[in-house]
Amino acid sequence: MKKAPDPIDRHVGSRVRMQRVLMKMSQEKLGEALGLTFQQVQKYEKGTNRIGASRLQQISKTLNVPPSFFFEGAPTVDATGDGFAEESSSQYVVEFLSTAEGLHLNRAFARIKDPKVRKRVIDLITTLADQTDDGAPARGEDSPK
């Protein structure tokens, strides 16, 4: 039976991927800068392989961020010690921004300068998200205003 990646390793890997993609750097280029194959970079990004301290330092220099960047919004051990209590909203944002769609949407939205247009885009996306597959408002949701 395969062991699932540790939540911290997955989080750190997703932050590596997010920053790499934001810098428009391929896995191959990052691997070359670190003396690794792109497959090893993939394993780091998925959390399959852990990133050691010295390697994390190399990655942070290559991606121009402090090492602490990779731990921002990371899952934390809860007070009872029963496991991990993830900060769901920040984790969701990190995961979304780690996707190509998330990055494209974020970049395009950031280019919109008019605050009224930005508000209308948010309203549109909220309305679309509240729709069910048949186009009706989701159950229990208010109609868009």
Side-chain angles (χ1 to χ4, degrees):
M1 185 164 129
K2 283 189 175 182
K3 185 179 172 188
D6 184 277
I8 298 289
D9 295 328
R10 286 182 46 226
H11 178 81
V12 169
S14 72
R15 298 284 290 184
V16 169
R17 175 177 166 73
M18 180 176 70
Q19 185 62 23
R20 176 185 60 75
V21 172
L22 282 171
M23 293 183 67
K24 299 181 180 180
M25 181 184 289
S26 68
Q27 288 177 331
E28 187 175 8
K29 288 288 183 197
L30 179 57
E32 286 174 11
L34 301 171
L36 303 170
T37 64
F38 78 91
Q39 291 96 333
Q40 182 62 43
V41 172
Q42 280 179 333
K43 289 179 181 182
Y44 284 156
E45 290 182 357
K46 289 180 182 178
T48 306
N49 286 5
R50 288 188 169 167
I51 304 173
S54 59
R55 179 75 72 208
L56 192 61
Q57 182 70 32
Q58 282 182 298
I59 293 170
S60 72
K61 286 180 181 177
T62 303
L63 297 178
N64 299 316
V65 292
S68 61
F69 168 83
F70 301 109
F71 297 95
E72 291 172 6
T76 56
V77 177
D78 66 13
T80 63
D82 290 339
F84 288 94
E86 292 193 27
E87 297 173 13
S88 59
S89 62
S90 63
Q91 184 63 24
Y92 176 77
V93 170
V94 168
E95 289 175 7
F96 176 68
L97 288 175
S98 296
T99 67
E101 294 88 0
L103 285 167
H104 292 308
L105 183 60
N106 192 42
R107 283 186 183 135
F109 186 79
R111 290 195 315 262
I112 300 170
K113 301 301 180 209
D114 186 337
K116 289 179 183 177
V117 173
R118 289 171 77 114
K119 171 77 170 96
R120 290 178 67 197
V121 169
I122 291 169
D123 291 344
L124 172 64
I125 291 171
T126 301
T127 300
L128 291 172
D130 290 342
Q131 298 295 309
T132 60
D133 289 337
D134 63 4
R139 186 177 195 142
E141 296 290 330
D142 293 332
S143 312
K145 297 178 173 72

